[in-house]
Amino acid sequence: MAKKSGKKRKAPEPVLRDVLRVPEGERIDLAGYDARAIPAGPADKAAGLAATAALGPRLAALQERLYAASTAGDRRRLLLVLQGMDTSGKGGTVKHVIGLFNPSGCRIHAFKAPTQEERNHPFLWRIMRALPQPGEIGIFDRSHYEDVLVARVRELVPRRLLGRRYGQINRFEKTLADDGVTVVKVFLHLSYEEQRARLLERLDNPDKHWKFNPGDIEERALWPAYQHAYELALERCSTDEAPWYLVPADRKWYRNWAISKLLLEHLEALDPKYPPGDFDVEACRARLLAS
Amino acid sequence: MAKKSGKKRKAPEPVLRDVLRVPEGERIDLAGYDARAIPAGPADKAAGLAATAALGPRLAALQERLYAASTAGDRRRLLLVLQGMDTSGKGGTVKHVIGLFNPSGCRIHAFKAPTQEERNHPFLWRIMRALPQPGEIGIFDRSHYEDVLVARVRELVPRRLLGRRYGQINRFEKTLADDGVTVVKVFLHLSYEEQRARLLERLDNPDKHWKFNPGDIEERALWPAYQHAYELALERCSTDEAPWYLVPADRKWYRNWAISKLLLEHLEALDPKYPPGDFDVEACRARLLAS
């Protein structure tokens, strides 16, 4: 209906979900992905920071709608799963991206080495206990994927049991999806060189020594084994119900923008609505005015 | 040592803790406190918003130090307790003040009417389970004080048991302080008129109907009883270990500024330090450079 004009039409914004999504069932070679790339991203750092800041109010508004809907029985919620090598920016993502949301609606859990009690249960037990409730945004800093990552590299369980876990994870995530959980799994793809630079940066600054652990150097020595373990997890567990997204993470500004954008796209797809009140507005107003 | 100059010296900034602190053991008459007052605050809304924004980076920096210190065994943490009538701004405080911190170091708990399991335990049981861990900032949106507020007004427990709870609370909070918890208890002091205006605002905006409950009008009818219950809680439980702060809450910008400033003063008093590394920096650097 719009009048045709001589102006060039603006190209439609690419859907980042489609750009970063790990295809289901295909072989993945992480060496083929450039960790400094900025697929479908803003042109440079300044533009990236501005774009991320601009997403903040939109994310917070959608979060409020999601929470509001839950008060009327909508069970939907979102779970962001963050995985990646040391220094890949899991903590930085929580600070800079999750910091854009209202903290009262966020349920954040950082998974450490399992406690004795956690080891006495199936590996998904502690995961279940940390899930977001309806209306919430859950954030896992590490997750059940550690049970096929460090568990594989360090041979913490017999290979036969390890092999079964991929299917167990897929069935678990399908159950979550059936219950209204939108699972957004992000692999922060860092290069070997950038990890070295970031670890050195921590050494250079005494205020960052608390973040450094000499054990990080031993883990780094196992880089190829970890990359292989990630490839298997991405190949086997990128499902329709819970796809993996591969986010190049060498540039922090791109990482923050990309994850913010992924969350926005998922929340927009949910399109949560403010529920109507189930009370008599006029009667309530009259009572209030008389009080 | 500084040279004397003709210039007037700037008056020292007042310590807000001293200004807002509820004196121990004195009778409180809430009617004597103006809920629209802005004690020791910025001159107006614009100045207040700017001042609060400026506190953000300082709060986040202190929070990081507090967390860093905990990784080296420092058990200290902070607990912000928010109490106040409906619409007094407990949720708004979490959004606007706690939103200034890194969400990964905040442990937020909103206490609702107790579940059957919670009622089967002593009233402090569910409180214990929601406490912050070392290095964290805990936030209680409502708290154990509900057990001497709604419990008193609605006569949920025999008066004899209720009377004992003040002492139980004081002993509990002293135990927290002994364990390194800085307890900051804030009473959001709202006027009866402002509550009416805020409830009407919710009615006027369909997007806010989900926040409205006709039961809020019944609670409002009990205003004098609640004010009296608050007076008793403030009088009996403002201790050296865990003082109450009375924050006038009719102006949202003042409320946000005042609570931010109170948190800043407490964190500055804690003065947490980045812990030194307990590893050989040069050896680690050499190993990293060789990797």
Side-chain angles (χ1 to χ4, degrees), chain A residues 80-126:
Chain A
L80 173 67
V81 172
L82 295 170
Q83 286 286 164
M85 300 294 288
D86 279 338
T87 76
S88 62
K90 300 180 290 294
T93 299
V94 174
K95 183 173 175 179
H96 295 287
V97 178
I98 303 309
L100 300 171
F101 291 95
N102 182 336
S104 71
C106 298
R107 188 175 293 259
I108 305 170
H109 197 94
F111 290 95
K112 313 281 182 191
T115 65
Q116 185 57 52
E117 187 187 22
E118 289 169 348
R119 282 200 301 272
N120 286 343
H121 288 285
F123 75 100
L124 291 170
W125 179 78
R126 64 175 186 159

Side-chain angles (χ1 to χ4, degrees), chain B residues 71-280:
Chain B
T71 65
D74 190 333
R75 289 185 60 80
R76 292 180 303 169
R77 58 257 200 222
L78 190 146
L79 174 62
L80 174 67
V81 173
L82 294 170
Q83 286 285 164
M85 300 295 288
D86 279 338
T87 75
S88 62
K90 300 181 290 294
T93 300
V94 174
K95 183 174 175 178
H96 295 287
V97 178
I98 303 309
L100 300 170
F101 291 95
N102 182 335
S104 71
C106 298
R107 188 176 294 258
I108 305 169
H109 197 94
F111 290 95
K112 313 283 182 190
T115 64
Q116 184 57 52
E117 186 185 23
E118 288 169 349
R119 283 199 302 270
N120 286 343
H121 288 284
F123 75 100
L124 292 170
W125 179 78
R126 65 175 186 160
I127 308 298
M128 296 283 287
R129 291 160 56 95
L131 288 171
Q133 296 192 28
E136 291 183 336
I137 297 190
I139 300 96
F140 285 176
D141 175 344
R142 304 186 187 271
S143 67
H144 43 300
Y145 282 95
E146 292 298 325
D147 297 292
V148 293
L149 293 165
V150 65
R152 169 177 284 270
V153 173
R154 294 284 187 181
E155 300 183 345
L156 304 180
V157 290
R159 186 55 63 99
R160 187 176 51 82
L161 291 180
L162 188 83
R164 290 187 195 159
R165 286 187 172 175
Y166 300 93
Q168 289 167 349
I169 287 174
N170 286 343
R171 288 192 295 280
F172 168 65
E173 292 178 354
K174 177 155 181 20
T175 305
L176 293 185
D178 287 345
D179 197 42
V181 182
T182 296
V183 185
V184 180
K185 300 185 298 197
V186 168
F187 169 57
L188 298 168
H189 179 47
L190 190 77
S191 70
Y192 188 67
E193 293 68 34
E194 180 68 15
Q195 190 192 52
R196 184 195 301 113
R198 291 188 184 178
L199 287 172
L200 285 170
E201 210 179 294
R202 289 183 180 176
L203 284 181
D204 289 342
N205 183 349
D207 284 356
K208 291 192 172 178
H209 282 182
W210 65 279
K211 289 187 178 185
F212 189 89
N213 184 333
D216 298 345
I217 306 179
E218 271 106 69
E219 287 293 288
R220 176 170 165 79
L222 299 169
W223 186 275
Y226 271 108
Q227 296 294 295
H228 181 60
Y230 269 111
E231 286 168 349
L232 293 178
L234 296 173
E235 282 168 24
R236 298 180 183 176
C237 300
S238 193
T239 61
D240 268 345
E241 292 86 7
W244 271 108
Y245 298 96
L246 193 155
V247 173
D250 274 14
R251 298 179 200 256
K252 294 177 184 175
W253 66 262
Y254 177 79
R255 172 201 79 203
N256 290 338
W257 172 80
I259 298 174
S260 303
K261 187 69 163 50
L262 282 174
L263 291 176
L264 184 80
E265 289 178 2
H266 282 88
L267 287 168
E268 282 181 341
L270 290 178
D271 193 21
K273 305 284 189 203
Y274 285 115
D278 58 351
F279 48 85
D280 182 334

